[in-house]
Amino acid sequence: MTLSFPRALMLGGSALVGLSHPALSQAAAPTELPAISVTAPSPIVRRKPAPPRAPARVARAAPGRNASPVPVEAAPVVTSRQGELPVVTDQFATVTVVPNEEIRRSGASTLGDLLFSKPGITGSGYAPGAASRPIIRGLDGNRVGIVENGIGSNGASDLGEDHFVPVDPFASNQVEVIRGPATLRYGSQSIGGIVSSTNNRIPDALPACAVAPFQSYGLPVKAPAANLGAPGCTNAEVRTSISSVDRGIDGGILLDAGGGNVALHADVYGRKAGDYNVPSYPYSSPGLAFNGRQPNSSMQSDGASIGGSYFFDGGFVGAAITQNDTTYRIPGTEGAAVGTRIDGHQTKVTTKGEFRPDSAAIEAIRFWAGATDYRHNEIGLANPADPTTDGVRQTFTNKEQEGRVELQMMPFNARFATVTTAFGVQASHQELTAPSPDDPTSALNGLWDPNKNTRVAGYVFNELKFTEATKAQVAGRIEHVNLTGTTPGFIPDTFDLAANPGSIGPATGRDLSFTPKSVSLGLIQALPWDLSASITGQYVERAPKPAELFSRGGHDATTTFDIGNPNLGIETAKSVEVGLRRATGPFRFELTGYYTQFSGFIYRRLTGNTCEGVACVDPGAGTLELNQAIYSQRDATFRGGEFQTQLDVSQFHGGTWGIEGQADVVRATFSDGSNVPRIPPVRAGGGLFWRDANWLTRINLLHAFAQNDIAVIAETPTSGYNLLKAEISYNTRLDPRIYGAKEMTLGLVGNNLLNENIRNAVSYNKNEVLMPGLNVRAFASVKF
C-alpha cells in the first residue's frame, strides 16, 4: 500500500490548476469557517440545542425513506472566525485546541512541530520536521499519550526521541491537548496529558453536499435522517505547499463521499524535504563539515487511508485502514558521520461506532478498537570509513491491539444536582521487539528481548450540575498491568563488561504486575463578565513501561546505552490545577496554574559515562561511542503556569485588528532541590493581527529565556532566543459553476524570520542540532 512521493505530489500539485482562471480576479464571496467543537476530553458528551436547520436529537426517517438517523454533534464551544483564539470553558482543566484552519496554515509535518509554541507545550525536536513528540508541562514520552480518533498512535515514539509519531497532521481536522481528569479516559500513562488528533477517516456524518437543503456549505451539522435517501455526492480537497528552508514540497488529496446510508473517506499525501538551512555552524565540536545546512536532516514521507461508515436507526458503525511510511535522517555529529536514517512503516486498522437506543436509562453506547503493525529500521554505517558496512543497526517492531467501550447514562435528578454518569472499559495488548543484527549470540542482543504488555482497565465519570453556573466532576480509574520480558544482569552506574565478562550473566525472565488506581475531582463555576473558573485535584498512579524496565543495550540513533531497572515501582502524582477563562467578547483569555508532586518519579538519567559494545567506562578512562542512560526513580515536584490572551482593539478597513500575548513557565526539582533534566525554558511573547471574513494577517514574537536550571550531570545550559513569525492568508468561497471549485485558501507563512540560532533545551542532541533557520512557506488548498 506504499505510496510513491511523485504520485502524491502530482495529486497535491493539481490544487494550483484552477488558480490561473482569469475570473479569480473578480470579487469572491466571503466565507465563514466551521465552528469548533471539542470532541475528545470527556466520555460525557452534552447534547445542546442545535441551530434551527439541524435537529437537536436523532431524527426519524420520513415515510418511505430508509430509517437511518444520525446523532448530532456536541454544540460548539467557541466561535468560528478564523484566527480567533479558541478558549474552552466547559472542561474541568485546560484544553488547547488547534482548529483545522490553523493546522493548514502551520504546515507542520509532526505533532511536536505543530504544538511547539503553544503555552505549556513544546516538542522533543530530535529530528525537526520528522521526529518531534509533544512535551506537556515538562513531561514527555511515558507520560504523554497520543491518540487518533480515540485509538493510540501505537508506534515507538515513546521508546526513543528519534522515533517518529505515526499520526500526520495532514489529515487532521483538529488537534486537542487534554490535561486533567479527562486523561483518565485513556490511561494512567497520560499523567502529563493527551494529544488527540481527529479526522474524517471513519466518517460520523454524511458529507455536507448530501445535506445541502438543510445546511450551508461547511457547517459541521449532522445530517437529518430524511436526507439519507438522497442521491450520493462527493467532496474533494486538494492541498499543496512549498518551503524555502529545506526546498520542501508536499501535496495530497482528501475525498469524502456519501449517499443513502453510507459515507466514505479516502486520503493520500506525500512530502519531501532536503537538509534544512541553519543560521550558523551547528556543532559544539569545531572542524566538522558544514555547508550552511544541518547535515543529515532530510526526510521523505507518504501515507494513505480509506474508510467508511454505515448509518442505521440510532447510530453508526465504521472502519478504516491507514498506512504511514517515512524515511528520515537523524542529525547530529554521530548521525552525520555514519549516515543514520530511519525507515519506518505502520499499518493500522481502526473501527468505531455509536448507538443511541430508545431507552429511558441509556443515552449512548460508543466503542473504539484498533490493531497496528509497526516496524522501523535504524540504518547506518558500522564503520564510518567503509561504505560497504552500511546496513540495519537496530530494528523496532510493535504489534498492538486496543479497544474501549463506553456507556453514557441518561441524566437523572438527584435533587441536589442533575447527575450524568459514563462507564468505560479498556483493554490493550502490546508486543515489542528491538533485536540487533550485529551479533545475535551476544548477551546484549539488541536494546531488549521481546516483551509483552497487557492492560485491562475500568473507569467511571460522574458530572453533577448543581445549577447552570456550578458543575462538578468526579472520576476514577483502576487498571491491571502485566509486563513480561527479560532484564539485564547488571544495574550499576559504571561497569566494564569486557574486563569482567562474568558480571552480566544470562538475561533473567521477569513477569511483573501492577494495579495503578487514580481519582479526580473538579469544579467549574460561571462568573460575571462571561468568566469561567475551575479547580481540579487529581491522584494518579502510573505503572512503569517496558523500556523503563527491560532496556539493556545500545541505541545507535540516540547514541545512548540504555539500562532499565526491573525494580521500579508505581509512580504516583498528586496535582492541583486552577484556571480562569473567558471565551467570548473582544477580550478572550485563559490563565492556568498547577502544582504536581511525584512520588517515585521515573526518569532516564544520563550518568556522564560512555559505552561501546558491552563496555562502559567513566569519563576519566576515555570517551566511548554511546552515552550511558539509566532509568531511575526519585521524588520530584513540578509547578508552573500558562497564560494566553487575544484582544480585538477596533475595526480597521472593514476588519478587526488586535493584540495577542502568551507566557508559560514550568519549574521541576527533585526532593533534594536539584533540577529534573530537560525542562523547557520560560517563554513569553505577543503580536498583532488583522482579520476580516476572508483575510488573516499576523505577526508574533516569542522569546524563550535561557535555561540554566539543568541536571547536575550530562546537561548543559541553553541560550535564549527570539522566534519571529508572520503570516498572511486568504480564504474565500467560490461559485463552482464558474471556477469548478467551492472554496479556496492561499497563504504565505514566515518562520524564524530573524534567522536566529535556536537550540531546543529539551532535546538530547541540542548541542549538535540547530532548529531550522529563516523559512518562507507558500500553501494552497482548493475544495471541490
Side-chain angles (χ1 to χ4, degrees), residues 639-692:
R639 61 273 194 196
E642 301 124 18
F643 174 72
Q644 60 178 336
T645 184
Q646 196 174 70
L647 172 64
D648 298 339
V649 175
S650 67
Q651 297 298 300
F652 180 73
H653 281 278
T656 301
W657 80 273
I659 58 177
E660 55 190 7
Q662 67 177 84
D664 59 350
V665 58
V666 56
R667 186 80 176 92
T669 55
F670 292 114
S671 55
D672 63 359
S674 61
N675 298 309
V676 175
R678 300 175 58 242
I679 296 299
V682 178
R683 300 183 300 181
L688 302 172
F689 64 86
W690 180 88
R691 64 169 183 263
D692 66 6

Side-chain angles (χ1 to χ4, degrees), residues 11 44 76 142 152 233 258 313 408 630 645 686 724 731 774:
L11 290 170
I44 297 175
N142 295 323
C233 69
D313 188 11
Q408 178 177 329
I630 297 179
T645 184
L724 180 64
N731 176 269
L774 188 153

Side-chain angles (χ1 to χ4, degrees), residues 491-558:
I491 310 174
D493 287 6
T494 61
F495 57 90
D496 187 338
L497 296 178
N500 303 285
S503 64
I504 179 171
T508 304
R510 300 292 293 267
D511 189 342
L512 304 173
S513 295
F514 303 90
T515 306
K517 298 169 284 294
S518 304
V519 294
S520 71
L521 174 64
L523 179 69
I524 296 176
Q525 177 65 50
L527 301 173
W529 203 52
D530 296 324
L531 290 171
S532 177
S534 65
I535 182 168
T536 299
Q538 281 187 275
Y539 174 90
V540 180
E541 294 182 345
R542 180 180 82 87
K545 297 191 74 172
E548 297 168 322
L549 297 166
F550 304 132
S551 296
R552 37 73 165 170
H555 189 183
D556 285 344
T558 58

Side-chain angles (χ1 to χ4, degrees), residues 159-226:
L159 305 176
E161 293 74 15
D162 57 313
H163 302 163
F164 77 105
V165 178
V167 176
D168 196 287
F170 171 82
S172 298
N173 294 333
Q174 187 162 293
V175 173
E176 300 165 10
V177 180
I178 305 158
R179 307 166 181 88
T183 61
L184 299 184
R185 185 185 189 189
Y186 299 96
S188 63
Q189 301 296 329
S190 303
I191 292 176
I194 286 286
V195 179
S196 172
S197 172
T198 56
N199 54 50
N200 203 41
R201 285 173 168 167
I202 302 178
D204 55 7
L206 289 178
C209 58
V211 290
F214 292 83
Q215 65 179 62
S216 60
Y217 176 74
L219 292 177
V221 180
K222 301 297 185 179

Side-chain angles (χ1 to χ4, degrees), residues 10 68 167 291 304 360 362 367 543 628 717 733 761 779 782:
M10 181 174 64
S68 307
V167 176
N291 62 356
I362 300 174
F367 77 90
Q628 187 185 57
R733 288 164 61 177
F779 66 93
V782 178

